Amino acid sequence: MISYDKLMQEQLRGAEGKKLLLHCCCAPCSSACLERLKDVFKITVLFYNPNIGGEEYERRKAELIRFITATGWADFLDCDHDESVFYSAVKGLEREKEGGERCKKCFELRLAKTAELAKDYDYFTTTLTVSPLKDAAVINETGKRLGGDKWLYSDFKKRNGFLESTRLSKEYGLYRQDYCGCVFSKREKNA
């Protein structure tokens, strides 16, 4: 089994001062990832999440901005928000269970945009691997395919990453959601 955390640690050697574009889904997931990477990279947080709709999108974005402003650990880069891009990408997969093919398409959508925007960065990665519900192998394989050597491997849940995100969320009073953000995930959670 591949240790993506170990691969990341190897990549971090000699990466001091390099530029990282970090795709973030929310402030809680971002917290432990930023804490782990802030002393190595010059980080720009990218908030690109067409899977998240309406009020939830605005709340997560505002909370992420509040967190990075409070810590000073990163700069912020916002993207256009167009939910129709997500719905087009997952068409026909609406009934898939959380973690299935719909999620793979969603990861690919967000990581492809991150890779596209990472041309002026040394590396890019995502905070998605901090979640115990997200498959680090799928995310890393997708990121590597899309970004080649610019992809920074990760499995942020390792070395107590998820627990640290919970601790930092309490410390900073961050809003913690209980679903990934898409309407299908919310529907499954509520069922």
Side-chain angles (χ1 to χ4, degrees):
M1 188 166 146
I2 297 173
S3 172
Y4 295 105
D5 180 58
K6 189 179 245 182
L7 288 173
M8 180 184 74
Q9 291 176 59
E10 291 169 9
Q11 286 178 290
L12 294 181
R13 289 189 207 105
E16 292 81 8
K18 301 247 182 198
K19 291 169 53 177
L20 172 70
L21 184 61
L22 179 64
H23 167 264
C24 296
C25 56
C26 63
C29 287
S30 303
S31 64
C33 304
L34 284 166
E35 182 185 56
R36 191 171 289 178
L37 299 171
K38 69 180 173 54
D39 294 330
V40 177
F41 293 106
K42 293 178 188 171
I43 304 171
T44 299
V45 161
L46 172 66
F47 192 71
Y48 176 67
N49 298 290
N51 59 310
I52 303 171
E55 239 178 75
E56 183 68 18
Y57 175 85
E58 294 302 329
R59 187 171 187 188
R60 289 187 191 197
K61 178 176 156 181
E63 198 68 348
L64 180 57
I65 292 170
R66 183 177 74 80
F67 177 71
I68 63 173
T69 300
T71 62
W73 291 346
D75 293 324
F76 183 78
L77 177 61
D78 196 4
C79 272
D80 293 335
H81 184 250
D82 182 358
E83 291 175 61
S84 69
V85 174
F86 168 70
Y87 291 117
S88 292
V90 300
K91 188 167 177 59
L93 302 170
E94 296 87 353
R95 297 278 174 213
E96 283 281 316
K97 287 212 174 283
E98 184 79 15
E101 290 303 312
R102 184 184 66 242
C103 292
K104 290 177 185 177
K105 290 285 188 189
C106 184
F107 299 155
E108 183 161 3
L109 172 67
R110 294 188 281 168
L111 292 179
K113 183 68 164 183
T114 308
E116 175 190 321
L117 295 172
K119 61 182 171 257
D120 295 330
Y121 293 84
D122 300 296
Y123 294 97
F124 77 96
T125 196
T126 182
T127 61
L128 292 170
T129 63
V130 79
S131 170
L133 302 176
K134 303 288 187 270
D135 187 330
V138 169
I139 293 166
N140 280 287
E141 289 164 14
T142 303
K144 182 67 174 175
R145 179 173 43 80
L146 294 169
D149 290 340
K150 282 193 171 203
W151 175 252
L152 179 69
Y153 289 107
S154 72
D155 192 350
F156 287 114
K157 70 180 122 319
K158 299 296 183 184
R159 293 183 285 134
N160 294 317
F162 181 75
L163 292 174
E164 182 63 4
S165 75
T166 302
R167 185 193 71 74
L168 286 165
S169 293
K170 287 178 186 167
E171 180 181 332
Y172 287 91
L174 299 177
Y175 159 66
R176 284 188 73 85
Q177 61 286 337
D178 58 359
Y179 69 105
C180 92
C182 79
V183 296
F184 309 114
S185 170
K186 187 174 186 177
R187 180 184 64 208
E188 190 174 313
K189 176 196 77 87
N190 290 337

